[in-house]
Amino acid sequence: MRACPTSCTAVKQQFSTCSRKPKDVNQMTRGNPCQLPGMLPNYDPNDSEAGMKILEDLTENVEQIQQRVLEEIITRNARTDYLKGFLDGEFDKQVFKKTVPVVNYEDIKPYIERIANGDSSNIISAEPIIELLTSSGTSGGQPKMMPSTAEDLHRKTFFYNLLVPVMNKYVDGLDEGKAMYLLFVKPETKTPSGLMARPVLTSYYKSNNFKNRPFNRFNVYTSPDETILCSDSKQSMYCQLLCGLVQRQEVLRVGAVFASAFLRAIKFLEHNWKELCSNIRTGHVSDWITDPGCRKVVSLVLNKPKPELADLIEHECNSKSWEGIIKKLWPRTKYIEVIVTGSMAQYVSTLEYYSGGLPLVSTMYASSECYFGINFKPLSKPWDVSYTLIPNMAYFEFLPVKKKNEDGAQYVQCNGVCKENCMEKETEKEDVETVELVDVKLGQYYELVVTTFTGLYRYRVGDILMVTGFHNKAPQFRFVHRRNVVLSVDTDKTSEEDLLKAVTKAKVIVESLGILLIEYTSYADTSSIPGHYVLFWEITSKGNNHLPVLDHKIMEQCCSTVEESLDSVYRRCRRKDNSIGPLEIRVVQHGTFDALMDFCVSQGSSVNQYKTPRCIKSGEAINILDSRVVARFFSQKAPFWEPV
Ligand code: AMP
């Protein structure tokens, strides 16, 4: 979720009617009226000490700030159609918690759809909703859409600004060079009412908060904005890498938002380094870079022929092994900034291979609904990363999640190994009481529920978090997993149900030929970049237990059908972003799934409760399946996708 921190100009403007400038968060929590619109204290983001002080104050005064955040949200929005139905126009926390239900997307979808179709946004938010943020969660195959307001951009800016002092605390001299952050915008569309619908980062990068950000010496990028904002992802990637290579001696850190995007850039470099070097050698950018903004700024960065630099880069890229290539190409790099928690953890070993041992830094935890938390120990190992929720971002509540019996069905369900993310029983019912941010308990698992400044009230985000400690009074959370997600390669999030629906459609094809699909499971194969979905299928001829003769064309059609049936984010990643490779079906020999069951039982699963895991993460289990593969088929065409 990385973007450039900007100054608080906008925030200052927000308080421009106020003559008293706030000095610390205590003022805010003590009821300084100047602080109320948005609860954002003001400071100079170039001033790291001031930034740290803000963070200390925020984390010291969690309870008061949360109380004020809720009061502010309710007071502003009590007369919206949505809240009016539950509250009598007044702020009362107890009434709020008693009467406003904890909801899922399906509950608020009718309101979002009304707004998308032209109803006034004050049905959920007093502050006008200026756009809808398309999240990677889906509902009925379409991306979920989260409301966003102009004011919320300032909240995000405030949040980004806070990342700077945290990094400065651990790494010196970040103002003595540049950051090669590879940032991209995604396609956007308009709703019938003319509201923009786009991913949260695209919204932020295209905002004035990003484009008109004042200079911050700790955050100078190698990528000119024109290259980040270029809608052609190939040209954007090429130009950003070119600029990063030309300025290689100045680069102090490299990164992208998610690990998958950064690795995609490394792959792109592997395929294009010769051409990039030729551009550096001649001082001319390739003709296929036709985006006028990109051409102009990249030509300025290239400036003149640099044959020696081209030789040097060519020499490094030409070496047989690309182990440690990042350190070789960008020798002053101190760390790689990419999110490697959650589903991105699968990329840690590949990143370590390319990085030559550089720290992997996950700075923040955020979503389309709201920006949540900051990693206060950015140099900690990926598996030790915790995020401290920032209490003025939203009102946070937590649904307790019970741990499952170690040999319960859920445990077996995922992968037959003792993985942390298989051990909880999620809270199904809304009647379970939520816990407040200050009341969460160390070691406990919770599902995050947010009430935002943008019109979401007691909304279940779907993320399961575990409390790992406290910074002052603010709890810190490890991201455990996302509810219901079994497969993820990039920003796609495929649930067991999505997978079942897609497989069901594909199996109709083979059934019409007298072939039965007896069992299936899946895994995300990220051993090569881009990663791809693999389905293991055990099939048989109707009427006997023999493996049927498999027609390549038919099986490839099955692969395509599964892809066509997966959600819009999957199809965008696959077709537009090329961040997911063609889906593969591996047909396994008869009896393979019995062997899988034996394995799971040997690992502690109860035979009685055994259900075939629909997604496999254990290397051993994958080996059991892989050693019995008799044929492999790949999808031959990218699925249909258009912005929705
Ligand atoms: P989206 O709704 O598409 O913006 O995706 C937001 C979701 O991405 C969050 O709810 C998390 O499930 C996941 N996510 C975001 N940041 C992180 C992080 N730092 N670590 C793990 N998962 C994350």
Side-chain angles (χ1 to χ4, degrees):
M1 293 282 168
R2 179 79 204 181
C4 176
T6 72
S7 95
C8 280
T9 309
V11 177
K12 278 182 198 145
Q13 278 163 5
Q14 208 179 343
F15 297 124
S16 59
T17 51
C18 174
S19 55
R20 256 176 72 201
K21 288 281 177 249
K23 289 204 183 71
D24 65 26
V25 179
N26 279 315
Q27 282 187 327
M28 173 173 90
T29 58
R30 281 188 215 114
N32 176 357
C34 307
Q35 293 296 326
L36 277 175
M39 311 279 297
L40 304 174
N42 181 24
Y43 74 103
D44 173 5
N46 276 290
D47 182 348
S48 270
E49 219 176 287
M52 281 317 290
K53 167 91 173 73
I54 297 266
L55 277 173
E56 289 304 298
D57 285 347
L58 284 168
T59 51
E60 266 302 341
N61 298 287
V62 177
E63 191 168 4
Q64 301 92 314
I65 295 172
Q66 281 282 277
Q67 171 79 12
R68 294 296 301 276
V69 165
L70 184 61
E71 188 172 342
E72 167 83 359
I73 295 173
I74 302 306
T75 311
R76 278 193 206 177
N77 298 296
R79 281 173 225 295
T80 56
D81 278 13
Y82 187 86
L83 281 187
K84 205 160 62 185
F86 305 113
L87 303 174
D88 57 6
E90 296 289 312
F91 171 70
D92 182 326
K93 187 156 122 187
Q94 295 320 322
V95 176
F96 172 79
K97 291 189 87 172
K98 218 164 144 190
T99 58
V100 179
V102 173
V103 291
N104 286 303
Y105 186 74
E106 297 311 314
D107 302 303
I108 58 158
K109 191 174 170 186
Y111 290 87
I112 302 284
E113 283 181 344
R114 275 169 65 189
I115 295 167
N117 290 323
D119 221 340
S120 162
S121 59
N122 65 22
I123 59 174
I124 58 167
S125 166
E127 193 77 20
I129 286 164
I130 54 162
E131 60 186 321
L132 292 170
L133 305 177
T134 50
S135 101
S136 50
T138 49
S139 160
Q142 300 300 321
K144 294 176 184 168
M145 291 195 284
M146 299 302 162
S148 177
T149 62
E151 186 209 66
D152 213 51
L153 286 167
H154 306 327
R155 198 165 281 108
K156 287 175 178 132
T157 298
F158 172 80
F159 186 97
Y160 282 127
N161 284 334
L162 289 179
L163 301 176
V164 180
V166 175
M167 222 49 241
N168 285 346
K169 186 172 165 193
Y170 291 92
V171 183
D172 285 336
L174 290 178
D175 55 345
E176 288 159 15
K178 296 188 179 180
M180 187 186 77
Y181 289 137
L182 306 167
L183 306 176
F184 303 93
V185 292
K186 299 258 154 87
E188 53 197 19
T189 181
K190 283 203 169 154
T191 69
S193 67
L195 279 184
M196 198 60 96
R198 53 191 175 187
V200 57
L201 292 173
T202 301
S203 148
Y204 192 76
Y205 301 150
K206 290 196 165 182
S207 73
N208 285 333
N209 288 48
F210 179 78
K211 289 195 289 194
N212 299 335
R213 63 194 182 274
F215 179 78
N216 181 321
R217 64 198 164 95
F218 296 105
N219 254 298
V220 183
Y221 290 1
T222 55
S223 295
D225 285 4
E226 289 80 352
T227 62
I228 293 170
L229 296 171
C230 172
S231 59
D232 180 324
S233 54
K234 195 171 170 202
Q235 293 192 47
S236 171
M237 175 76 89
Y238 187 90
C239 292
Q240 292 195 57
L241 282 170
L242 189 51
C243 293
L245 286 169
V246 170
Q247 301 169 78
R248 67 188 281 271
Q249 281 301 346
E250 292 172 73
V251 170
L252 298 183
R253 55 225 150 113
V254 299
V257 178
F258 289 109
S260 53
F262 188 73
L263 284 172
R264 208 159 62 243
I266 300 295
K267 271 285 146 196
F268 187 93
L269 185 59
E270 241 177 289
H271 292 135
N272 294 283
W273 60 265
K274 285 191 180 140
E275 186 178 340
L276 287 159
C277 287
S278 147
N279 287 184
I280 295 170
R281 186 178 305 287
T282 60
H284 288 291
V285 62
S286 296
D287 289 343
W288 65 272
I289 302 297
T290 50
D291 180 276
C294 281
R295 273 206 88 76
K296 193 169 154 209
V297 290
V298 175
S299 302
L300 286 175
V301 175
L302 274 178
N303 188 19
K304 57 176 187 200
K306 295 186 172 74
E308 279 167 20
L309 178 61
D311 282 349
L312 220 143
I313 297 169
E314 241 168 32
H315 172 75
E316 297 299 357
C317 292
N318 234 337
S319 81
K320 257 207 203 117
S321 157
W322 268 40
E323 189 167 0
I325 190 76
I326 294 165
K327 202 85 190 103
K328 291 178 190 160
L329 290 177
W330 294 280
R332 292 177 67 205
T333 306
K334 296 172 191 241
Y335 61 89
I336 303 182
E337 188 174 322
V338 280
I339 290 176
V340 281
T341 46
S343 64
M344 292 294 144
Q346 62 191 322
Y347 295 109
V348 168
S349 53
T350 317
L351 276 168
E352 281 171 343
Y353 173 83
Y354 287 121
S355 77
L358 289 167
L360 302 174
V361 173
S362 297
T363 56
M364 60 185 275
Y365 164 45
S367 81
S368 313
E369 291 89 336
C370 171
Y371 282 19
F372 305 122
I374 292 177
N375 175 3
F376 281 0
K377 293 201 175 124
L379 297 184
S380 50
K381 293 283 179 207
W383 46 91
D384 288 330
V385 168
S386 290
Y387 300 99
T388 305
L389 296 199
I390 304 300
N392 61 346
M393 287 291 115
Y395 177 66
F396 299 112
E397 292 175 82
F398 299 85
L399 282 168
V401 174
K402 288 192 200 90
K403 265 194 187 182
K404 254 270 170 183
N405 222 339
E406 295 247 324
D407 65 359
Q410 182 87 8
Y411 165 74
V412 180
Q413 186 70 17
C414 279
N415 48 24
V417 288
C418 182
K419 277 268 185 254
E420 195 172 34
N421 68 358
C422 303
M423 292 173 66
E424 315 91 37
K425 183 175 180 309
E426 286 151 13
T427 313
E428 299 296 342
K429 293 260 174 253
E430 280 86 55
D431 53 11
V432 176
E433 293 239 331
T434 60
V435 172
E436 301 219 347
L437 185 56
V438 281
D439 292 329
V440 297
K441 299 273 174 292
L442 191 68
Q444 294 290 306
Y445 289 65
Y446 298 96
E447 183 185 335
L448 181 61
V449 174
V450 288
T451 296
T452 68
F453 287 91
T454 55
L456 299 175
Y457 307 98
R458 312 195 82 198
Y459 178 81
R460 291 175 74 167
V461 173
D463 290 343
I464 310 296
L465 311 175
M466 188 190 93
V467 184
T468 53
F470 293 84
H471 182 89
N472 296 325
K473 306 224 170 66
Q476 302 182 297
F477 296 88
R478 177 169 307 154
F479 182 91
V480 180
H481 73 119
R482 194 174 169 94
R483 195 157 50 105
N484 296 337
V485 169
V486 289
L487 287 171
S488 176
V489 164
D490 189 27
T491 51
D492 53 305
K493 294 179 175 66
T494 297
S495 69
E496 197 170 321
E497 198 188 339
D498 296 335
L499 189 63
L500 172 66
K501 272 193 200 141
V503 169
T504 304
K505 281 203 181 145
K507 81 174 179 181
V508 171
I509 301 171
V510 286
E511 274 173 1
S512 66
L513 301 170
I515 297 172
L516 288 179
L517 174 64
I518 310 176
E519 272 296 7
Y520 73 92
T521 190
S522 65
Y523 89 106
D525 182 350
T526 50
S527 59
S528 56
I529 305 294
H532 69 289
Y533 287 14
V534 174
L535 303 184
F536 291 98
W537 276 21
E538 188 169 323
I539 52 184
T540 178
S541 300
K542 258 185 205 159
N544 63 45
N545 273 343
H546 298 150
L547 186 70
V549 179
L550 297 168
D551 181 312
H552 254 81
K553 284 260 162 331
I554 297 286
M555 290 306 293
E556 285 164 6
Q557 201 187 328
C558 289
C559 296
S560 300
T561 303
V562 173
E563 292 201 299
E564 291 292 354
S565 314
L566 290 172
D567 74 33
S568 138
V569 179
Y570 175 90
R571 287 180 282 113
R572 187 197 69 214
C573 289
R574 170 83 170 91
R575 186 177 187 100
K576 175 89 179 104
D577 304 345
N578 291 321
S579 56
I580 301 182
L583 181 137
E584 180 184 1
I585 292 179
R586 295 182 191 165
V587 177
V588 291
Q589 47 182 252
H590 186 66
T592 299
F593 278 78
D594 292 338
L596 179 66
M597 182 175 84
D598 292 345
F599 170 73
C600 290
V601 169
S602 78
Q603 299 294 299
S605 306
S606 135
V607 184
N608 293 334
Q609 290 174 300
Y610 180 77
K611 289 197 221 99
T612 303
R614 294 302 172 208
C615 171
I616 303 284
K617 288 184 183 127
S618 140
E620 260 177 292
I622 292 168
N623 286 342
I624 288 170
L625 297 167
D626 259 344
S627 62
R628 291 163 171 81
V629 169
V630 290
R632 293 166 174 231
F633 306 92
F634 288 89
S635 170
Q636 297 299 311
K637 60 178 173 65
F640 172 79
W641 176 82
E642 64 180 7
V644 281

